[in-house]
């Protein structure tokens, strides 16, 4: 039976029992009140009977008048009738009534006797006649009997009342006891059905609270409690399953959090939250660290904005406001000024968070320190810009060198031919000089563009610098003192010595210009190892061992805004006409082409230090340095047969004319394939003079390789006005292969040819 | 059952002999012996016996109904009974003549069962010329001496101022007094029920009741032996309870009760009507004391033996048993203090 049904039955039974108890009580009380009313009536009646008794004594002593006698008789009969009323037909009542009748009879008899026989004189101790005393005794006996009857009647009534009261009380007591027993039974039953399972359930909960996760509620029967216990157990299973899942998820989440923290630490990545109600920004520890504040620092939004660089504060303020007002998300890369004053590039993103009513309550976002990346990007941009400039410069120089080659060659021809015309000869020489200056300029551009031909070789830098000391002192002049700080046990450097000399001179001259009132030029050397981290933080730097060559001055220094453009071609802070703006770019291009590294440190009004990192020369880095032509030696010709390969007709014609003037036999080809055909045809050729870059699918290097396979001992002289020859030839020329840089003069060509053919 | 007067003493003697032969334990278990009378005033005894009211109270009572209270008293004194019913007259006469020191066999009043005025009557032949009490002067009156008949006759004379010396009293028993009257051997007879009624029914001439005894109210006493009352107090109380039930039964069923009485007494049922029913009631009150005092005055006036000495009336009564079952019925002075 279900608890609801049992409870309903119990409640109905209790209500019925209570109603029965009430009815019993009311019925018993009603009976009690009836008895009490009857008792009250009887007391009144007894008073009237007592009065009759007294009156009867009086009637014996005095002769009453008829009216009084009649009233006595009426009263006596009324009392008798009252006693005989239907409700009082008890034995005692009837006895009392007959006692009254006997009293009346006796009195009537006495009256009759008195009326016929006058009273005798008094006799006896009290002077009362015996007959009177007998009579009075008789009557008194009746009165006493009446009184006794009344007393017994009253006692009987009292007993009835007591019995009724007792019955009433006992009934109530029994009913109460029955009701109590029923309640005890009901509560016992309720305890067994309700408290028992409840306590068991409570004990189970306590066991669970004390950590006994295996505790389960006992399931007995099929009532609601059993269903509750089953549901409770199922809930426990589901809860514990959920807890296991949550624990697993928390473990995973903790792992992910750790990974995120690690990732955030590595990537310097954090989060922030702006409470739009309090206007306070909560920073993660990483965000605080990026700002240079203590962990847990939570500034007002205005203070958080104040950390940004002044030019970026309006940007971030607008972004905050748009997001907080309209929910517009933002993603900005801006610069902040850390607490220590260092600028730092950061990336900050923000999204609006709404509550369940759609109201904007919070802005949350991510915050990342991108300073390193941004710096690299800037450096990369600069490097790319330099690369682009180099490409442009190289392309222009190639064509310009071809032009200069023709101009310079023709100027040389004119100078020779106009030996007898001094005025025209001077004009031709000025043309040649101007073309030569153009060639030098082109050479500097090519050096900056890292496309000059280099001939690196192991160089003892200490000796190298020491040899340059006098040259430097003479070049810089008196006000500038040259000091050397050369490190012992310096590694040899793999570098083109002539170009390095030019670079050091360039730096020394710049230092001198920065010290117009004189100063000290300090040249230091030392071994250096660039670590991978350093290399990763800089563009186009390879980690490894280097020889550091530092050139320092204590001059005016370089402003920070100029440092980034220091190596751009034609950028100069010197007065107009005092600098070409190609010095430092040439040094930069040379160092980079030498796979080294250059670093500038400068403080305004303190001085500048430029560190050149030169690659350490390994043991097998021996070089076969090309012997430069001696410009002072006279021009010598020959009679060998030269195969000239040149795609530019003007340059080819110029070269043919020069070679023929020098006495050589010339065979020409306008492409690599045509030259190769000549060789395959077996024509006698003593030297191959070829341009490096040529269209038609077979450039100078490829032609040289094919020619070597046909004629392994064939000398090959390359010429190029373009920069790519350095890359093609890897900056180095094998024995039997030489390069003649365009534009070249007749003496250069003659010298190279004789050097190779001899 | 009507017990003849001649056989009753023998029965009592046999019973007493048997009691002597039995040991104490058996004596404890023997039935109570009660002597009643064929008398309308003793109707409660008849009803209690016939209706088994004694047994209802757990009592085994051997009831014997004799002819008068005087004989019952003699049986009680002889040890033939434990309880006896009688009128105050023989009891008072015995008390006056008995040793005044307390004795275990003393009779003691336990209760009065009736307070009635019509149980006794002075009867004359209707054909006689006796029309008023004074007409009795010089005549002969039959009565049973030592009973309430003698006491009633005295009261009658006192009440009507008759000179007893001028009237001849003829000693008779209950039934012989009626016979003497109907036969004309006497002019009047003082008789009580049922003998007066039997005499009237047996007479060839109508009998007339000259007086029911003005100034006389009959009482019928339950008397026990002092030792029995004390030793068997619980049985005594149960006996009184049985009488109370009998009284209630009579009041509730007066016709049936009177019919039983008529059948037992040999009366015609038509002559026994409810209006003749006396007033029954267990009591020990002032009316009993007054009645006993009046008996003492009678005894002194009549020169009865022992009457000259002042008696201790209160000591004649044992109110304890009745007091324990019906305190309201006991109004004797000092009864509750005893």
């Amino acid at each position: 039976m279900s608890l609801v049904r049992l409870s309903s039955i119990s409640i109905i039974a209790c209500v019925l029992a209570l109603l029965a108890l009430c009815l019993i009580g009311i019925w018993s009380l009603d009976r009690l009140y009836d008895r009490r009313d009857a008792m009250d009536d009887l007391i009144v009646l007894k008073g009237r009977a007592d009065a009759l008794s007294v009156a009867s004594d009086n009637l014996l002593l005095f002769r009453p008048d008829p009216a009084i006698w009649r009233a006595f008789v009426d009263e006596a009969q009324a009392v008798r009738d009252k006693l005989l009323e239907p409700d009082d037909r008890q034995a005692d009542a009837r006895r009392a009534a007959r006692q009254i009748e006997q009293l009346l009879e006796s009195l009537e008899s006495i009256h009759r006797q008195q009326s016929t026989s006058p009273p005798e004189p008094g006799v006896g101790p009290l002077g009362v006649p015996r007959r009177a005393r007998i009579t009075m005794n008789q009557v008194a006996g009746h009165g006493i009997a009446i009184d006794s009857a009344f007393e017994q009647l009253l006692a009987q009534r009292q007993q009835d009342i007591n019995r009724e009261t007792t019955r009433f009380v006992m009934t109530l007591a029994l009913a109460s006891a029955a009701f109590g027993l029923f309640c005890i039974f009901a509560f016992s039953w309720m305890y067994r059905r309700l408290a028992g399972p409840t306590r068991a359930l409570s004990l189970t909960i306590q066991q669970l609270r004390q950590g006994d996760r295996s505790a389960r509620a006992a399931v007995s029967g099929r009532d609601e409690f059993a269903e509750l216990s089953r549901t409770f157990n199922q809930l426990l299973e589901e809860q514990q399953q959920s807890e296991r899942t949550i624990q697993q998820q928390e473990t995973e989440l903790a792992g992910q959090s750790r990974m995120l923290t690690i990732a955030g630490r590595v990537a310097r990545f954090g989060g922030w939250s702006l409470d739009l109600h309090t206007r306070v920004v909560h920073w993660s520890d990483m965000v605080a660290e990026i700002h240079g504040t203590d962990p847990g620092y939570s500034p007002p939004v205005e203070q958080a904005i104040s950390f940004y660089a002044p030019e970026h504060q309006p940007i971030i303020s607008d972004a905050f406001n748009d997001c907080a007002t309209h929910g517009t998300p933002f993603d900005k890369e801006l610069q902040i000024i850390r607490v220590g004053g260092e600028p730092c590039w950061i990336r900050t993103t923000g999204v609006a968070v709404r509550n369940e009513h759609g109201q904007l309550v919070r802005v949350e976002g991510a915050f990342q320190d991108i300073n390193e990346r941004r710096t690299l990007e800037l450096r990369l941009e600069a490097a790319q810009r330099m690369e682009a400039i180099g490409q442009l410069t190289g392309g222009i120089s190639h064509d310009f060198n071809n032009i200069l080659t023709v101009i310079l060659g023709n100027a040389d021809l004119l100078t020779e031919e106009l030996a007898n015309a001094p005025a025209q000869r001077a004009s031709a020489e000025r043309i040649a000089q101007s073309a030569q200056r153009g060639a030098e300029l082109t050479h500097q551009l090519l050096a900056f563009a890292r496309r000059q031909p280099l001939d690196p070789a192991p160089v003892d830098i200490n000796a190298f610098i020491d040899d340059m000391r006098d040259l430097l002192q003479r070049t810089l002049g008196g006000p500038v003192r040259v000091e050397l700080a050369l490190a012992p046990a310096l590694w040899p450097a793999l570098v083109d010595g002539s170009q390095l000399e030019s670079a050091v001179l360039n730096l020394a001259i710049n230092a001198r210009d920065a010290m117009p009132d004189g100063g000290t030029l300090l040249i230091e050397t030392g071994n250096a190892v660039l670590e991978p981290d350093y290399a990763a933080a800089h563009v186009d730097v390879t980690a490894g061992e280097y020889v550091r060559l530092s050139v320092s001055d204590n001059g005016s220094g370089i402003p920070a805004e100029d440092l980034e453009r220091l190596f751009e071609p034609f950028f100069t802070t010197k007065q107009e006409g005092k600098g070409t703006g190609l010095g430092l770019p040439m040094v930069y291009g040379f160092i980079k082409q030498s796979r080294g590294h250059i670093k500038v440190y400068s403080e305004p009004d303190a001085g500048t230090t430029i560190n050149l990192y030169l690659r350490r020369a390994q043991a097998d880095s021996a070089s076969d340095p090309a012997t430069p032509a001696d410009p002072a030696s006279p021009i010598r010709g020959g009679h060998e047969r030269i195969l000239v390969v040149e795609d530019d007709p003007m340059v080819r014609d110029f070269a043919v004319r020069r070679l023929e003037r020098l006495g050589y036999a010339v065979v020409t080809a306008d492409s690599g394939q045509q030259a190769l055909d000549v060789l395959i045809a077996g024509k006698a050729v003593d030297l191959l003079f070829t341009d490096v870059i040529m269209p038609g699918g077979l450039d100078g290097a490829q032609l040289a390789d094919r020619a070597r396979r046909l004629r392994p001992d064939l000398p090959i002289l390359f010429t190029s006005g373009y920069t790519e020859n350095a890359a093609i030839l890897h900056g180095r020329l094998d024995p039997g292969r030489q390069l003649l840089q365009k534009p070249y003069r007749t003496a250069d060509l003659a010298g190279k040819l004789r050097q190779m053919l001899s | 059952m009507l017990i003849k007067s001649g056989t009753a003493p023998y029965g009592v003697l046999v019973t007493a002999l048997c009691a002597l032969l039995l040991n104490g334990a058996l004596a404890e278990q023997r039935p109570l012996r009660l002597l009643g009378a064929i008398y309308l005033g003793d109707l409660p005894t008849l009803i209690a016996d016939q209706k088994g009211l004694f047994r209802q109270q757990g009592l085994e009572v051997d009831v014997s109904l004799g002819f008068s209270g005087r004989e019952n008293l003699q049986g009680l004194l002889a040890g033939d009974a434990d309880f006896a019913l009688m009128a105050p007259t023989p009891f008072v006469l015995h008390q006056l003549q008995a040793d005044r020191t307390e004795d275990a066999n003393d009779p003691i009043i336990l209760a009065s069962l009736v307070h009635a005025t019509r149980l006794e009557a002075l009867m004359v032949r209707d054909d006689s010329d006796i029309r008023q009490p004074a007409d009795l002067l010089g005549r002969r009156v039959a009565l049973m001496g030592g009973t309430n008949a003698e006491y009633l006759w005295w009261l009658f004379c006192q009440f009507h101022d008759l000179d007893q010396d001028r009237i001849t009293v003829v000693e008779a028993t209950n039934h012989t007094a009626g016979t003497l009257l109907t036969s004309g051997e006497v002019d009047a007879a003082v008789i009580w029920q049922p003998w007066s009624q039997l005499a009237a029914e047996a007479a060839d001439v109508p009998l007339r009741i000259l007086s029911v005894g003005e100034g006389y109210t009959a009482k019928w006493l339950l008397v026990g032996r002092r030792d029995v009352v004390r030793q068997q107090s619980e049985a005594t109380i149960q006996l009184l309870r049985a009488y109370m039930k009998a009284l209630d039964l009579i009041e509730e069923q007066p016709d049936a009760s009177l019919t039983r009485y008529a059948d037992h007494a040999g009366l015609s049922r038509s002559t026994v009507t409810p209006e003749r029913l006396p007033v029954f009631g267990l009591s020990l009150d002032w009316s009993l004391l007054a009645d006993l005092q009046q008996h003492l005055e009678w005894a002194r006036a009549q020169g009865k033996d022992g009457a000259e000495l002042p008696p201790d009336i209160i000591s004649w009564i044992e109110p304890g048993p009745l007091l324990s079952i019906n305190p309201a019925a006991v109004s004797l002075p000092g009864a509750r203090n005893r």
Side-chain angles (χ1 to χ4, degrees):
Chain A
M1 185 180 292
S2 69
L3 287 174
V4 173
R5 191 172 178 185
L6 285 175
S7 300
S8 301
I9 292 173
S10 298
I11 291 170
I12 292 170
C14 284
V15 170
L16 291 176
L18 279 174
L19 284 175
L21 195 60
C22 291
L23 290 175
I24 290 170
I26 292 170
W27 176 76
S28 300
L29 275 177
D30 184 59
R31 286 181 60 85
L32 198 59
Y33 290 155
D34 287 347
R35 298 292 181 180
R36 193 182 62 184
D37 293 343
M39 186 72 176
D40 292 341
D41 292 343
L42 194 60
I43 289 171
V44 173
L45 201 59
K46 183 175 183 300
R48 294 170 66 183
D50 289 342
L52 279 178
S53 178
V54 173
S56 64
D57 293 341
N58 181 265
L59 290 175
L60 290 175
L61 296 175
F62 302 97
R63 183 181 182 84
D65 58 51
I68 293 177
W69 172 250
R70 188 66 257 165
F72 173 79
V73 172
D74 291 345
E75 175 66 11
Q77 289 176 343
V79 173
R80 181 200 59 193
D81 294 343
K82 183 68 177 175
L83 287 170
L84 294 175
E85 280 182 353
D87 292 340
D88 290 315
R89 286 190 180 277
Q90 290 186 359
D92 291 335
R94 284 192 292 271
R95 277 196 293 271
R98 286 205 302 278
Q99 297 283 11
I100 291 173
E101 289 173 356
Q102 287 182 162
L103 175 63
L104 284 174
E105 286 180 4
S106 296
L107 288 172
E108 285 174 351
S109 174
I110 292 166
H111 269 287
R112 282 196 304 273
Q113 177 59 31
Q114 286 179 345
S115 61
T116 56
S117 175
E120 62 179 347
V123 294
L126 297 179
V128 178
R130 175 174 291 157
R131 190 178 67 188
R133 287 190 284 112
I134 292 171
T135 305
M136 290 172 65
N137 193 46
Q138 170 95 351
V139 172
H142 289 318
I144 291 167
I146 293 170
D147 185 65
S148 178
F150 264 106
E151 288 294 334
Q152 293 189 54
L153 179 58
L154 287 172
Q156 183 64 37
R157 291 290 171 86
Q158 188 62 49
Q159 284 183 355
D160 290 344
I161 290 173
N162 292 341
R163 191 164 50 248
E164 288 296 330
T165 303
T166 302
R167 185 163 58 190
F168 172 68
V169 172
M170 288 301 295
T171 301
L172 282 180
L174 288 174
S176 300
F179 186 68
L181 286 174
F182 174 78
C183 288
I184 290 171
F185 169 77
F187 279 111
S188 298
W189 174 80
M190 294 288 278
Y191 174 80
R192 189 168 60 83
R193 296 295 298 273
L194 297 177
T198 302
R199 192 168 60 175
L201 199 57
S202 176
L203 285 174
T204 303
I205 293 172
Q206 286 184 1
Q207 289 174 340
L208 289 169
R209 189 178 295 167
Q210 291 169 356
D212 183 4
R213 297 176 61 81
S214 64
R216 292 292 182 274
V219 180
S220 62
R222 290 184 298 176
D223 59 9
E224 290 89 337
F225 254 109
E227 185 62 27
L228 177 63
S229 298
R230 273 192 292 272
T231 305
F232 180 75
N233 290 341
Q234 290 174 357
L235 195 62
L236 281 179
E237 293 293 343
E238 292 173 1
Q239 183 203 7
Q240 291 181 0
Q241 180 62 36
S242 299
E243 286 177 355
R244 285 192 291 272
T245 304
I246 290 172
Q247 192 174 10
Q248 185 177 357
Q249 290 174 344
E250 284 177 347
T251 302
E252 294 175 357
L253 198 59
Q256 292 177 353
S257 177
R258 283 194 299 274
M259 291 168 60
L260 190 61
T261 301
I262 294 170
R265 193 160 55 240
V266 171
R268 294 182 65 74
F269 184 87
W272 57 269
S273 171
L274 166 62
D275 188 329
L276 296 178
H277 178 66
T278 62
R279 306 280 297 170
V280 170
V281 183
H282 297 275
W283 284 347
S284 70
D285 292 347
M286 179 52 68
V287 174
E289 182 181 325
I290 293 170
H291 282 81
T293 62
D294 295 331
Y297 187 68
S298 298
V301 63
E302 292 79 10
Q303 187 177 352
I305 290 175
S306 70
F307 274 91
Y308 285 82
E311 65 272 23
H312 291 167
Q313 287 183 11
I315 300 172
I316 190 64
S317 181
D318 291 345
F320 265 134
N321 289 334
D322 283 348
C323 191
T325 306
H326 304 107
T328 306
F330 64 86
D331 186 348
K332 302 287 184 187
E333 289 187 359
L334 302 170
Q335 198 173 34
I336 62 169
I337 308 300
R338 303 179 76 227
V339 171
E342 309 90 12
C344 179
W345 280 95
I346 55 92
R347 179 186 179 186
T348 180
T349 64
V351 293
V353 178
R354 299 175 186 272
N355 62 13
E356 63 273 20
H357 305 298
Q359 298 168 330
L360 292 169
V361 294
R362 208 163 56 249
V363 177
E364 294 176 346
F367 196 88
Q368 186 179 15
D369 179 357
I370 59 169
N371 197 51
E372 188 175 342
R373 191 204 79 195
R374 185 69 175 165
T375 302
L376 280 175
E377 285 177 354
L378 291 175
R379 288 175 180 168
L380 184 60
E381 286 175 5
Q384 288 173 342
R385 186 166 64 249
M386 298 290 279
E387 184 68 20
I389 293 172
Q391 292 277 1
L392 178 63
T393 304
I396 293 172
S397 298
H398 172 262
D399 294 336
F400 199 59
N401 277 341
N402 283 341
I403 295 169
L404 287 176
T405 299
V406 175
I407 293 172
L408 197 57
N410 285 303
D412 286 343
L413 287 176
L414 283 175
T415 300
E416 292 174 9
E417 290 173 356
L418 295 175
N420 298 324
Q424 287 80 1
R425 179 186 174 95
S427 297
E429 287 175 349
R430 282 195 293 274
I431 291 170
Q433 289 172 355
S434 296
Q436 185 62 39
R437 287 174 56 188
E440 290 173 358
L441 190 60
T442 303
H443 178 75
Q444 288 176 335
L445 286 172
L446 286 172
F448 159 71
R450 298 178 244 174
R451 286 166 176 80
Q452 66 179 329
L454 294 179
D455 187 13
V459 175
D460 181 355
I461 299 299
N462 282 347
F464 181 85
I465 295 300
D466 194 50
D467 290 344
M468 283 189 69
R469 182 170 191 158
D470 293 339
L471 174 64
L472 289 170
Q473 192 62 65
R474 285 195 302 273
T475 304
L476 299 180
V480 176
R481 188 175 69 254
V482 177
E483 291 185 0
L484 302 180
L486 306 178
L490 192 68
W491 295 329
L494 184 63
V495 67
D496 186 328
S498 61
Q499 296 299 327
L500 177 62
E501 183 184 76
S502 176
V504 171
L505 276 174
N506 236 317
L507 296 177
I509 290 168
N510 282 340
R512 181 199 63 191
D513 293 342
M515 297 183 292
D517 298 327
T520 301
L521 175 71
L522 174 63
I523 298 178
E524 298 171 283
T525 62
N527 296 327
V529 176
L530 298 184
E531 300 295 339
D533 290 346
Y534 182 87
H538 294 77
V539 180
D540 199 18
V541 175
T542 304
E545 295 173 335
Y546 290 83
V547 175
R548 176 176 57 79
L549 175 62
S550 301
V551 179
S552 303
D553 66 63
N554 53 357
S556 58
I558 305 169
E561 61 269 21
D562 293 340
L563 282 175
E564 295 180 0
R565 305 182 61 192
L566 203 58
F567 298 120
E568 290 184 6
F570 309 109
F571 175 77
T572 180
T573 57
K574 296 177 182 176
Q575 293 179 350
E576 188 174 352
K578 285 198 172 182
T580 60
L582 289 173
L584 283 176
M586 186 184 69
V587 174
Y588 175 82
F590 160 65
I591 293 299
K592 286 296 178 185
Q593 189 175 354
S594 300
R595 298 163 65 187
H597 175 53
I598 185 168
K599 186 73 175 177
V600 179
Y601 298 95
S602 183
E603 288 290 336
D605 301 326
T608 300
T609 296
I610 297 178
N611 293 327
L612 303 180
Y613 293 90
L614 307 173
R615 291 178 60 210
R616 179 183 179 181
Q618 302 301 322
D620 57 350
S621 298
S623 174
D624 183 16
T627 303
D630 185 3
S633 61
I635 297 173
R636 293 173 57 199
H639 302 285
E640 289 88 355
R641 185 177 295 274
I642 307 297
L643 175 55
V644 177
V645 186
E646 175 62 59
D647 60 319
D648 188 330
M650 288 182 64
V651 176
R652 186 175 65 242
D653 290 346
F654 165 73
V656 169
R657 287 173 59 191
R658 299 296 296 270
L659 290 172
E660 286 177 347
R661 183 175 289 268
L662 289 172
Y664 293 103
V666 178
V667 179
T668 62
D670 58 4
S671 65
Q673 185 59 49
Q674 190 177 7
L676 188 61
D677 292 342
V678 170
L679 293 175
I680 292 171
K683 287 185 178 179
V685 175
D686 298 316
L687 186 144
L688 175 62
F689 180 44
T690 178
D691 193 4
V692 176
I693 303 303
M694 289 182 297
L698 195 64
D699 61 17
Q702 293 168 337
L703 174 61
D705 291 340
R706 297 283 185 89
R708 273 289 170 87
R709 283 199 288 272
L710 293 174
R711 304 272 296 273
D713 55 348
L714 181 64
I716 301 172
L717 176 61
F718 295 102
T719 184
S720 178
Y722 193 54
T723 58
E724 290 302 323
N725 62 338
I728 294 170
L729 301 174
H730 307 294
R732 298 178 61 182
L733 296 174
D734 297 333
R737 295 187 181 189
Q738 294 290 330
L739 174 66
L740 183 62
Q741 183 70 42
K742 290 178 182 177
Y744 51 84
R745 303 191 67 169
T746 303
D748 298 329
L749 175 62
K752 281 285 184 184
L753 289 175
R754 286 318 324 155
Q755 180 187 356
M756 296 182 70
L757 291 173
S758 296
Chain B
M1 181 178 65
L2 185 61
I3 300 174
K4 294 181 179 178
S5 60
T7 58
Y10 296 107
V12 171
L13 286 173
V14 170
T15 303
L17 182 59
C18 291
L20 288 173
L21 294 174
L22 292 172
N23 58 28
L26 289 174
E28 286 291 326
Q29 295 177 351
R30 65 172 173 77
L32 293 174
R33 296 162 300 171
L34 187 143
L35 299 178
I38 303 171
Y39 175 49
L40 183 56
D42 203 13
L43 179 59
T45 301
L46 178 66
I47 296 299
D49 184 35
Q50 292 196 351
K51 298 293 284 186
L53 300 180
F54 295 125
R55 281 190 297 277
Q56 288 182 9
Q57 299 300 321
L59 297 176
E60 194 65 33
V61 180
D62 186 2
V63 177
S64 297
L65 299 178
F67 293 106
S68 68
R70 189 183 70 181
E71 292 172 350
N72 289 346
L73 177 59
Q74 289 170 354
L76 183 71
L77 294 173
D80 296 337
D82 301 308
F83 300 94
L85 291 115
M86 62 196 72
T89 306
F91 181 83
V92 169
L93 289 175
H94 170 264
Q95 292 300 105
L96 292 176
Q97 295 170 8
D99 188 356
R100 301 298 169 91
T101 58
E102 186 175 301
D103 186 85
N105 291 324
D106 285 346
I108 190 166
I109 300 171
L110 297 174
S112 170
L113 271 63
V114 70
H115 181 87
T117 57
R118 295 180 183 177
L119 290 172
E120 284 79 17
L122 177 62
M123 305 182 72
V124 299
R125 290 171 61 94
D126 193 45
D127 58 353
S128 72
D129 55 352
I130 299 172
R131 295 301 172 184
Q132 56 188 358
D135 295 337
L136 290 172
L137 291 173
R139 305 292 181 99
R140 292 163 59 86
V141 177
L143 56 86
M144 186 176 181
T147 68
N148 56 343
E150 182 184 356
Y151 175 65
L152 185 148
W153 171 243
W154 178 77
L155 285 176
F156 182 82
C157 292
Q158 295 299 313
F159 189 79
H160 294 285
D161 195 23
L162 298 176
D163 184 358
Q164 286 184 274
D165 293 338
R166 295 175 64 191
I167 302 169
T168 301
V169 174
V170 177
E171 179 67 20
T173 62
N174 295 330
H175 60 281
T176 57
T179 305
L180 291 173
L181 177 62
T182 54
S183 64
E185 293 182 43
V186 295
D187 301 299
V190 180
I191 319 173
W192 61 81
Q193 289 283 1
W195 311 109
S196 56
Q197 190 66 31
L198 287 171
E201 291 179 1
D204 54 352
V205 294
L207 299 181
R208 177 164 50 85
I209 295 175
L210 185 61
S211 170
V212 294
E214 289 83 354
Y216 174 73
T217 302
K219 289 190 177 295
W220 193 244
L221 306 177
L222 174 61
V223 178
R225 273 210 334 262
R226 190 183 297 274
D227 58 340
V228 173
V229 172
R230 288 181 177 176
Q231 292 171 6
Q232 301 190 43
S233 58
E234 188 60 31
T236 304
I237 291 172
Q238 295 305 102
L239 190 70
L240 288 171
R241 288 188 194 281
Y243 271 104
M244 286 183 67
K245 289 188 176 297
L247 298 180
D248 290 340
L249 194 61
I250 291 168
E251 292 294 338
E252 291 168 4
Q253 302 173 2
D255 290 336
S257 300
L258 288 173
T259 299
R260 285 181 181 275
Y261 164 71
D263 292 344
H264 184 73
L267 296 173
S268 171
R269 291 186 180 182
S270 60
T271 60
V272 183
T273 58
E275 359 356 306
R276 300 182 67 85
L277 190 66
V279 180
F280 294 105
L282 282 178
S283 67
L284 289 172
D285 53 29
W286 272 101
S287 67
L288 176 60
L289 289 180
D291 190 66
L292 294 174
Q293 285 178 324
Q294 193 160 281
H295 270 83
L296 288 175
E297 184 166 347
W298 159 72
R300 281 193 290 270
Q302 295 295 302
K304 298 293 184 181
D305 294 340
E308 65 279 6
L309 297 175
D312 182 6
I313 298 175
I314 295 299
S315 67
W316 298 350
I317 305 170
E318 175 52 63
L322 183 58
L323 196 61
S324 65
I325 61 172
N326 189 6
V330 180
S331 58
L332 293 174
R336 288 173 173 78
N337 298 327
R338 293 170 63 182

